[in-house]
Amino acid sequence: MSARPRSALSLLVPGLGALLSLGTACNRGSVRVDAPVVAPHAGLRPGDELDIRVFDEDRFNGTYAVAEDGTIDFPMVGGVPVTGLTKDEVARQIEAKLADGYLNHPHVVVQIKERGNREVSILGQVNEAGSLGWRDGLTLVQAVSLAGGLTPFAAPARVKLTRRTGRGEETVTFEISLTAIVDGRAEDLVLRPGDIVFVPETRL
């Protein structure tokens, strides 16, 4: 029988190639990857601050904070949902609302002035648990690697990801198989600011 190739996950857990190969074989028939499909660029979230300018209409210009319900309170048009949107998408939304009975051909420019929570937390069975600075495109595998990799007691097939839904303090938790990702049986997950990753201990 030919030797099984070394799992890529062993790069995250030095010295555990044999153990991880066994774990991968045991879990191959029951891999759970329940996380949602995530766009590569994280959109706006509660706590972000926007600088909004309307051409030739200084009365609208100013800084607007994204509220916990995912909206900004804009003059004349009221609440504008912005959670998950890009700054350009927000500008188009405001233009459409202002053009609906308020201004003729408004031109809106939106800039992100300040982000809210720009960190992700990596907890549990990693060598350097704590918070990491979020950056656009940061994936689950990269975050685990930045946290020093997995400990010998980690259960990589049962990683938990907790994420805010954008509706107040509400969160949702998914179970993800890191083993399936590094073996190429599932796509790596792009993290969002504020995500909490928990790597549980293996069941012996």
Side-chain angles (χ1 to χ4, degrees):
M1 180 180 296
S2 61
R4 179 186 175 121
R6 186 184 180 193
S7 170
L9 194 59
S10 62
L11 298 178
L12 299 179
V13 194
L16 290 186
L19 176 61
L20 291 175
S21 294
L22 176 61
T24 300
C26 292
N27 286 292
R28 189 170 293 277
S30 58
V31 172
R32 292 187 60 193
V33 183
D34 297 328
V37 175
V38 180
H41 300 288
L44 295 169
R45 299 177 62 254
D48 291 345
E49 291 188 356
L50 307 177
D51 182 74
I52 302 179
R53 306 283 164 175
V54 182
F55 185 70
D56 277 347
E57 292 288 347
D58 291 346
R59 55 183 168 155
F60 295 104
N61 298 346
T63 299
Y64 298 84
V66 182
E68 283 299 318
D69 64 357
T71 66
I72 59 171
D73 186 15
F74 201 76
M76 300 180 70
V77 302
V80 180
V82 300
T83 296
L85 302 183
T86 66
K87 59 186 179 66
D88 291 335
E89 290 170 335
V90 173
R92 303 294 82 78
Q93 275 215 53
I94 295 174
E95 286 176 348
K97 289 180 178 293
L98 289 175
D100 187 17
Y102 299 103
L103 300 176
N104 291 322
H105 309 295
H107 179 67
V108 177
V109 176
V110 176
Q111 297 293 335
I112 299 174
K113 185 174 183 180
E114 186 175 343
R115 290 286 194 175
N117 182 1
R118 298 287 100 181
E119 295 183 334
V120 296
S121 298
I122 311 293
L123 308 175
Q125 296 300 316
V126 292
N127 288 304
E128 298 175 15
S131 296
L132 301 172
W134 178 86
R135 64 173 184 269
D136 195 17
L138 178 67
T139 70
L140 176 61
V141 171
Q142 290 171 343
V144 170
S145 179
L146 289 171
L150 304 176
T151 74
F153 308 103
R158 296 187 291 110
V159 174
K160 301 292 192 302
L161 170 67
T162 299
R163 171 171 292 169
R164 295 182 66 139
T165 64
R167 295 187 291 271
E169 297 298 317
E170 181 181 271
T171 61
V172 61
T173 299
F174 304 96
E175 183 172 290
I176 305 165
S177 174
L178 188 61
T179 306
I181 293 173
V182 297
D183 281 354
R185 293 177 287 123
E187 292 187 7
D188 200 357
L189 182 71
V190 179
L191 298 178
R192 294 179 182 176
D195 280 352
I196 300 173
V197 176
F198 177 74
V199 181
E201 189 174 354
T202 187
R203 297 167 182 165
L204 299 178

